[in-house]
Amino acid sequence: MSLARAGDKTAAMDHFTRGDLRFDVADAGPPGGDTIILLHGFPETSASWRAVTPGLAGAGFRVLAPDQRGYSPGARPAGRRAYTTAELAGDILALADQAGAERFHVVGHDWGGVVAWVLATDHPERVRTLTVLSTPHPRALARSMVRSSQALRSWYAAFFQVPVVPERVILARGGRQFRRSLVRDGVPADLAERYYQRMSQPGALTAALNWYRAVPLDPGAARGSATVTVPTLYVWSTRDLALGRRPAELTSDHVTGPYRFEVLEGASHWIPEERPDDVVRLVLEQVRAYP
């Protein structure tokens, strides 16, 4: 498959570019359908959407799922500053441009949710609807740090700021503990293995952790704290060990556009992998409500 020409919605894609970076992307569904872009989190890849994509594509949508910056082997720039939210969002705009999607629906999970919030606040003219799984609005998350147990839940983000050590811990003993923890928390074993194999590639884990390490250097991080005006669906799950109920409940304070909050009882943080049927149902309800 070849790269789609700008403005051409008929050519399927297997990659897109931004500057000298080359990103892998999965492209499914009718080429002329309205576009849904699916954004994975850490330490996932676009494979996290494998059980979601068929339902969306089968409903007539073109579904684009990129391996984002640091996860695509051809897009691993060095240094933390290359992973600011403006750069991450800019990658997705480049994808949309090259796919010929002037406007698109965006669905993000975990760190992909952060990118989705930024796209909606910085580029509302491009975003038809916003659907975020797990990740609360950035300002709601910040407020909850002093009003709930969220700071304790977010301990790993501070640990990831330490140079070198997180890489050694995660990759120790062939990543056995890494894979076990993912499976124990709800990720299918074959996907846990797939994520580990990607993270074990040279430079991949450091690049992925640079999403966290760029936060203190990111003057654009506050962009995600802007009020969201586009139609928004936020989905939180009750067994999410990383993100608690308080920031989930506070998220509504930061959306002035049409807003819907859905709770998945008994689901873990890994919503796309564990509850794909619910994701398909909820996303289709959202995008069909705001065509």
Side-chain angles (χ1 to χ4, degrees):
M1 289 185 289
S2 62
L3 182 67
R5 297 183 301 276
D8 182 0
K9 295 183 73 171
T10 64
M13 306 173 70
D14 61 4
H15 71 278
F16 69 98
T17 60
R18 185 174 177 220
D20 60 356
L21 302 180
R22 177 184 169 116
F23 299 80
D24 299 328
V25 61
D27 184 349
D34 287 343
T35 300
I36 301 176
I37 298 179
L38 306 177
L39 304 178
H40 67 79
F42 173 85
E44 299 159 304
T45 67
S46 58
S48 65
W49 303 106
R50 68 179 185 183
V52 172
T53 296
L56 301 180
F61 292 89
R62 184 182 187 184
V63 183
L64 299 173
D67 286 337
Q68 296 190 79
R69 180 173 292 231
Y71 295 82
S72 285
R76 290 177 184 153
R80 294 179 293 168
R81 293 186 186 277
Y83 296 84
T84 61
T85 53
E87 294 294 342
L88 301 172
D91 296 337
I92 307 310
L93 294 178
L95 167 60
D97 289 345
Q98 291 168 51
E102 182 178 353
R103 300 185 70 212
F104 54 90
H105 305 277
V106 63
V107 182
H109 172 245
D110 188 79
W111 257 109
V114 176
V115 178
W117 285 117
V118 172
L119 285 166
T121 55
D122 279 19
H123 306 279
E125 75 285 353
R126 301 295 302 272
V127 177
R128 290 179 181 269
T129 68
L130 169 67
T131 299
V132 179
L133 312 178
S134 304
T135 313
H137 187 281
R139 182 174 289 178
L141 182 61
R143 290 169 61 196
S144 71
M145 290 293 184
V146 295
R147 299 186 181 186
S148 69
S149 62
Q150 184 56 52
L152 293 175
R153 290 174 179 266
S154 298
W155 66 270
Y156 62 91
F159 173 60
F160 288 165
Q161 298 296 323
V162 179
V164 180
V165 175
E167 286 92 331
R168 290 180 176 174
V169 171
I170 291 172
L171 298 178
R173 304 176 70 180
R176 183 165 61 184
Q177 185 57 40
F178 171 79
R179 295 195 301 272
R180 283 180 177 175
S181 64
L182 289 177
V183 172
R184 186 169 56 244
D185 199 25
V187 177
D190 65 319
L191 280 179
E193 176 64 26
R194 191 165 180 171
Y195 300 159
Y196 169 72
Q197 291 301 327
R198 181 63 58 90
M199 290 295 94
S200 65
Q201 292 176 356
L205 181 54
T206 294
L209 292 175
N210 276 343
W211 288 48
Y212 293 90
R213 292 167 178 167
V215 171
L217 308 175
D218 188 356
R223 289 182 182 134
S225 67
T227 300
V228 178
T229 59
V230 304
T232 300
L233 166 65
Y234 174 50
V235 183
W236 177 74
S237 47
T238 58
R239 288 187 53 249
D240 193 322
L241 300 180
L243 298 163
R245 182 178 291 273
R246 185 57 177 162
E249 292 173 341
L250 289 172
T251 291
S252 63
D253 294 346
H254 305 285
V255 182
T256 59
Y259 180 70
R260 179 180 174 189
F261 176 42
E262 290 285 338
V263 176
L264 295 181
E265 296 288 344
S268 74
H269 176 76
W270 310 100
I271 295 174
E273 296 95 335
E274 187 178 357
R275 301 285 283 272
D277 291 344
D278 286 320
V279 174
V280 171
R281 172 179 58 83
L282 291 168
V283 170
L284 287 179
E285 289 173 358
Q286 177 74 348
V287 300
R288 286 169 171 165
Y290 306 96

